[in-house]
Amino acid sequence: MKIILLHCFLIAIHVMISDERLIVSGSNQSISASVGDDVTLNCSVNSHIKPEEVSWKKAQKDGDILVLLYQNNKNVSESPDVRYRDRVEFFTKEIHRGNFSLRLKRVRTEDKGVYICQVFTGELSANTTVILERLGFSGLHIMVLILCITACGSALLFCSLIYCRSNNTGMNRHKILYISLFSCTVIEVSMM
C-alpha cells in the first residue's frame, strides 16, 4: 500500500512539473528613443523555474547579433558584440524577480531594430521581441543645429553689409566680394 501511495505521489509531481509553462513577456508597444539616451527593453519571466540562460539578440538579415547573455546565474560580460560592449546591462538586483530587461546606454542610430529576449530552462524555451524605433535627435542636438543655422545666417548678413557698403567707398567690387566671403568663412568656422 505504501508503495502504491508513493507511486501515485510521484506521478502527481511528474504531472505538475510537465504541466509547467515558461511565460516570457515584454513590451506591447515599440520603444522610441533619442540618440544618446538610455533605453530599457523589457523582458520578464513569469515562472517559478529559474532560467538557465537568457540571451538578448538583435535580429539581422545575415544572422542575429548577440547583445547580452546571462548564463549559469551570472552575466557573461565578454559575450556581447563589440558594438554593444560597455553599453548594455541587466538590472541585476531584479533578476531574482524574473526581470531580465535590458538597459541599452547611449543609443546610436544603428541600434534601431528588432530585439529578441530568448529564455531557456531545461527543455523549455520562450521568447519575446521588442522593437526599438524612431531614433531622433535629442534636445541638445537640435539646439546645436539651430545655433549653427543662426550663426551661418548672421555671418551671411554681415558679409552682405560689407559688400553693400563697398559701393560707397569706391573700392573694386570683386576685391570686396572676395574679402567679405573670406571674412564670412572665418567667422563661420570660429563660431563652430
Side-chain angles (χ1 to χ4, degrees):
M1 182 71 159
K2 289 181 184 180
I3 294 175
I4 294 172
L5 285 175
L6 180 61
H7 186 66
C8 290
F9 179 72
L10 291 175
I11 289 173
I13 289 175
H14 179 71
V15 168
M16 287 173 48
I17 291 173
S18 63
D19 224 15
E20 179 65 37
R21 283 190 247 161
L22 180 63
I23 301 169
V24 178
S25 57
S27 178
N28 294 336
Q29 299 176 344
S30 59
I31 308 292
S32 299
S34 296
V35 172
D37 287 349
D38 293 353
V39 68
T40 300
L41 307 180
N42 294 321
C43 179
S44 296
V45 179
N46 301 320
S47 174
H48 68 272
I49 298 176
K50 200 170 193 178
E52 293 172 10
E53 181 179 301
V54 177
S55 64
W56 273 98
K57 296 178 181 179
K58 182 179 181 195
Q60 297 281 84
K61 291 178 185 174
D62 55 344
D64 295 344
I65 299 170
L66 182 61
V67 176
L68 192 57
L69 179 64
Y70 178 84
Q71 197 172 45
N72 300 324
N73 297 321
K74 60 185 170 188
N75 187 6
V76 183
S77 57
E78 66 273 0
S79 63
D81 186 273
V82 289
R83 292 169 271 196
Y84 293 97
R85 284 231 172 95
D86 301 321
R87 295 194 313 123
V88 291
E89 64 186 10
F90 286 111
F91 294 87
T92 51
K93 293 181 181 177
E94 298 290 319
I95 287 176
H96 71 279
R97 293 186 184 138
N99 183 357
F100 288 92
S101 296
L102 171 75
R103 177 181 287 143
L104 177 57
K105 301 175 188 176
R106 300 177 307 279
V107 171
R108 302 174 183 168
T109 53
E110 61 265 23
D111 292 335
K112 181 179 177 179
V114 177
Y115 289 82
I116 304 160
C117 175
Q118 181 83 40
V119 180
F120 297 95
T121 62
E123 295 178 10
L124 301 173
S125 71
N127 66 52
T128 186
T129 58
V130 179
I131 300 171
L132 180 59
E133 65 178 12
R134 288 190 223 129
L135 292 173
F137 292 105
S138 67
L140 179 63
H141 287 105
I142 293 170
M143 286 177 36
V144 168
L145 181 63
I146 291 170
L147 181 65
C148 289
I149 291 170
T150 305
C152 290
S154 299
L156 189 58
L157 179 63
F158 178 71
C159 292
S160 299
L161 289 172
I162 291 174
Y163 184 73
C164 290
R165 296 217 45 177
S166 69
N167 288 338
N168 298 338
T169 61
M171 292 178 77
N172 185 347
R173 290 190 104 190
H174 291 328
K175 258 186 185 177
I176 294 296
L177 180 61
Y178 291 134
I179 291 170
S180 63
L181 287 176
F182 176 75
S183 299
C184 288
T185 305
V186 170
I187 291 169
E188 285 182 38
V189 169
S190 67
M191 292 182 120
M192 302 227 173

